Amino acid sequence: MSNITNQSLSEILKSIKSKKISSLELTQEYIKNIENAKKLNAFVTTTFDKALENAKKFDNKPNNEQLLSGIPLAVKDLFCTENVKTTAGSNILNNFVPSYESTVTKNLWNNGAFLLGKLNCDEFAMGSSNETSFFGNVINPIGDHLVPGGSSGGSSSALAADLTPATIGTDTGGSIRQPASFTGTVGLKPTYGLCSRWGIVAFASSLDQAGPMTKTVNDCSIMLEAMSGFDDKDSTSINKKKESYSKNLKDNIKGLKIGIPKEYRVDNMPKEIDELWEKGKKILKDLGAQLIDISLPHTKYALPTYYIVAPAEASSNLARYDGVRYGYRSQKGKDLIEMYENTRSEGFGDEVKRRILIGTYVLSSGYYDAYYLKAQKVRQLIKKDFDDSFTKVDAILTPSTPSSAFKIGEKTNDPVSMYLNDIFTVPVNLAGLPALSLPAGLDKQGYPLGLQLIGKALDEQKILNIGYAFEKNCGYKNEIKKWWS
Amino acid sequence: MSKEKFDYFINGEKGKYEVVIGLEVHAQVLSNSKLFSGSSTKFGADPNKQVSLIDSAFPGMLPVINEECVKQAVRTGLGLNAKINNYSVFDRKNYFYADLPQGYQISQYKNPIVGEGKILLDMPYGSKEIGIERLHLEQDAGKSIHDMDPSSTYVDLNRSGIALMEIVSKPHLRSPDEVNAYIKKLRTIMRYLGTCDGNMQEGSLRADVNVSVRKLGDKNFGTRCEIKNVNSIKFMQMAIEYEANRQVELLEDGKEIDQETRLFDTKKNETRSMRSKEDAHDYRYFPDPDLLPLKLEQKLIDDLKKSLPELPDNKKERLIQEYGLNSYEANVLVSEKEISDYYEEVAKLSDKKLAATWMIGDLFAMLNDKGLNISNSPISAKNFAELVQSIKSGEISGRIAKEVFEIMVESGDNPKKIIESKGMKQQSDPKELEKMINEILSKNKDKVDQYKAGKEKLFGFFVGQVMKLSGGKANPQLTNEILKKLLKG
């Protein structure tokens, strides 16, 4: 029982449902772990009292028919949680307590889970290392000098360190998949519109998508099933029948066609990433899948396109943080303009300011056509590349990131090199497609590396199936020494 | 009616100037809830009582389009004979202000829901067509209140997010009178449609006025100035007058007009510069990624078109063709929705032509005297119709009718009851009348002889005597007939 938190969500669920462990005991185990892992700085807020109360409530009247019966969950602090402080990793929301619950978290609670705490993240989800958070950087359980990835770095760290049985993040340009890859965990960015954006602090509306981060592919399918679904409060939500991803999970991928895009073999890519990719191809081939070389010719424009579209939307989305109605307000300034200036200067960190500036610039009159409009056109071409490929293949296999977890502070003074970390993940967001990052191996230093499976829109089941088969045959196992406790 | 000639020009020393005006009217959409949230739109609530999390732009809140507002915009477009666009896009107009919670206004920029249309004005010098450039949907902002506290500004977000239609005219207007006619016609059309209540006091209808001047005969437009947010027709007219004269003076002095945004100071009756073109906001418009493009099925548009109520221009035509009214009467009676509704109710129950004459004559004069309008008229449409019918049937004479009318105004009573209780019924029994007339003739034999000798003017004297004897109740037509007959004999 003492190592129940080592186990996967689906194993824990079995123990709960068979009454091998109570929800209260389980919750107490996680609380113990969290209290011993303060060094990781994964949590911004903990809600232990409420969690214990909810666990007792469950134990008194267990409903074992639910997807997440009696499961305590910590979630990224970008999801608004009713009466629980929601900061988005920013000083400007340092004191913000929503009166409402995001649709995605509400879906989780409706499926039997309850809140354990709020997880650190890059400020407004802008970052690839969780170093831009107002609440300090998060440490990767893999090593005390390593970043956990970002922006869902608190989520990946907490998951890998057994501080939550599963978690959710948001992915605008790779913010679920890259931290999953850096921590040897599974992360899925669903099709744009599959999970409601209502109640999630917005970064870039046309790219943001919530998704699960888990230890196994099966866990991932359970979480996806619980959190997704049509929401009439989100105009971009897709109205379709809910799928039973976990029940339909199959490991037979014989005959499936897997596309290998040549454009993902980038210059200066470490040899071990290439080797990992080769290993992935071999596993899938051995399982009966057919490998097909494909081309996604506009891939090289994805990153610059992303760094126009995302900041443009962000500059507008973040305009509401003005100190007038909620959140941080500077006491300095003699008039409205100065109040705005001081509030936003003191409330936002450097990376957020950088992106607001870029976004404001690319939307400005005289630059709009050259930047924003052109980026939108390129975005269509990137989407079309994928559409064309998916007439020939069922899924696409690529590395998740061009490197393993880097050192804390290594890239903080070089934003462009930081941005380059998202080179394999951003095209997927621009195209609105689902993509799964799977732990696939270790580099020379013993740090985890991930592979990415990209699917057609709404083809989550297929990439989960491929991932499931891959996972069984890959032999990857996260072995993390709990050096922090 | 005499047709006056159009003559609104500004006379400078160097010639006559023509004034060119275009209007951007902001009309509040009649709907129960706001454009992108479920909050109520009712006017007059306590501050910040009709504000949802969406209207106040809390983190993670998303807009969802209110379909009724879309339908109202389409109806209005159809009422303006405009092209309805099956595809339109909501954009964000970005700027900071304390009463703009999102930091942007959701509006339509490149692809509005309604394209080109037109409005027909009836001017004394004939009818004039004013082109509509476009109509788009947008959110209203909240209200900043600066005079409640010396050191703070208060913000009321009740208005934040209410749907507005911005209706942009082409620069086809040429005088304050045309602006007056345009606003009134636009207001009437929207009130007929039920898409905007047109209440200017409550701010449901406001306009930005674009004014430029040019020498009479010039082909090119002059540089325009935009006068922001004028909320009454009178102020619009005053602002145009002032602004056009200001511009002419500048030109006469050989100076240039700066393209700028100006404010109208209603106390000083002048326009003042608010910001120059150089200081103009860069609104950084871009399509709102929280909303999908608005796609309208042709069937929806067709159905809305079929269910449109009769509009003033069509109604006027019908009143002329079917009710036999003249063009002046028809114009007056369709000019406002309430007047037209009142008239239709009266006309349904009485003689249509006579009803029009009495409404435009006595009823309007009375309302005008008392400073009332048709919706608070002391005479109900039903009572008014009865009065008209009493005249038509000969039950009372026109002269008596005026007395009955006065009593109706004072008491609000039913005319039948008044006629009955006061014994005002017309004497229309030929036998009674003959008896009365014979009595008068026999008393005035000398006058009868004079009449027969050719002094026909005396006929009026006899009529007068009959009226006197009958207390004004003798049926005048019958009296004439019988008098003539008896005098011949």
Side-chain angles (χ1 to χ4, degrees), chain A residues 100 199 235 316-317 325-326 340 365, chain B residues 56-57 59-60 63 92 94 97 282:
Chain A
Y100 48 94
S235 307
S316 176
N317 280 338
R325 299 165 312 284
Y326 52 79
Y340 283 155
S365 108
Chain B
S56 45
R92 292 185 183 179
N94 295 282
Y97 203 63
D282 181 351

Side-chain angles (χ1 to χ4, degrees), chain B residues 354 356-366 370 379 384 386-388 390-392 395-411 413 415 418-419 422 424-426 472-473:
Chain B
L354 195 60
T357 314
W358 273 78
M359 243 184 99
I360 294 169
D362 294 72
L363 185 68
F364 283 3
M366 179 275 292
K370 296 197 177 291
I379 301 180
F384 192 74
E386 277 188 28
L387 178 69
V388 172
S390 300
I391 304 164
K392 182 69 186 177
E395 196 184 338
I396 54 171
S397 67
R399 210 173 62 82
I400 293 287
K402 284 185 195 286
E403 284 178 38
V404 177
F405 181 83
E406 292 302 325
I407 299 167
M408 288 169 77
V409 172
E410 295 314 316
S411 65
D413 270 350
I418 296 168
I419 295 163
K422 306 234 173 206
M424 294 166 108
K425 211 170 205 167
Q426 186 158 267
K473 283 177 279 183

Side-chain angles (χ1 to χ4, degrees), chain B residues 271-430:
Chain B
T271 64
R272 269 204 308 272
S273 181
M274 189 176 149
R275 57 176 177 257
S276 69
K277 196 184 176 187
E278 289 74 40
D279 299 330
H281 287 302
D282 181 351
Y283 289 119
R284 291 173 280 118
Y285 281 101
F286 75 106
D288 191 332
D290 285 333
L291 291 159
L292 300 171
L294 187 59
K295 289 175 186 159
L296 298 179
E297 305 237 349
Q298 193 54 41
K299 187 173 179 309
L300 174 83
I301 299 169
D302 294 343
D303 288 350
L304 287 172
K305 193 168 191 173
K306 271 182 229 147
S307 67
L308 236 44
E310 186 182 38
L311 290 172
D313 288 345
N314 299 333
K315 177 166 263 179
K316 180 184 163 190
E317 211 41 47
R318 184 167 60 83
L319 296 190
I320 293 170
Q321 297 301 326
E322 293 178 19
Y323 288 16
L325 306 191
N326 62 37
S327 152
Y328 168 73
E329 291 169 328
N331 245 341
V332 172
L333 293 176
V334 304
S335 66
E336 277 182 48
K337 171 102 169 79
E338 287 79 8
I339 292 176
S340 137
D341 288 348
Y342 189 98
Y343 172 68
E344 290 279 18
E345 210 181 325
V346 175
K348 209 162 58 191
L349 303 166
S350 66
D351 184 80
K352 295 170 173 52
K353 176 77 181 175
L354 195 60
T357 314
W358 273 78
M359 243 184 99
I360 294 169
D362 294 72
L363 185 68
F364 283 3
M366 179 275 292
L367 293 174
N368 210 20
D369 267 2
K370 296 197 177 291
L372 299 172
N373 55 45
I374 198 87
S375 20
N376 48 26
S377 163
I379 301 180
S380 72
K382 198 169 150 279
N383 282 347
F384 192 74
E386 277 188 28
L387 178 69
V388 172
Q389 265 326 80
S390 300
I391 304 164
K392 182 69 186 177
S393 70
E395 196 184 338
I396 54 171
S397 67
R399 210 173 62 82
I400 293 287
K402 284 185 195 286
E403 284 178 38
V404 177
F405 181 83
E406 292 302 325
I407 299 167
M408 288 169 77
V409 172
E410 295 314 316
S411 65
D413 270 350
N414 172 286
K416 284 253 156 55
K417 198 177 131 197
I418 296 168
I419 295 163
E420 206 71 42
S421 68
K422 306 234 173 206
M424 294 166 108
K425 211 170 205 167
Q426 186 158 267
Q427 182 50 269
S428 296
D429 182 344

Side-chain angles (χ1 to χ4, degrees), chain B residues 430-464:
Chain B
K431 275 186 195 150
E432 287 292 317
L433 278 174
E434 212 171 309
K435 219 172 101 188
M436 207 188 294
I437 291 169
N438 273 325
E439 199 185 315
I440 288 164
L441 293 185
S442 59
K443 269 192 200 159
N444 296 283
K445 284 225 164 73
D446 51 334
K447 298 252 169 36
V448 175
D449 289 343
Q450 281 174 31
Y451 177 86
K452 285 186 174 167
K455 204 171 175 185
E456 290 188 3
K457 269 200 299 193
L458 280 167
F459 191 77
F461 165 79
F462 296 120
V463 173

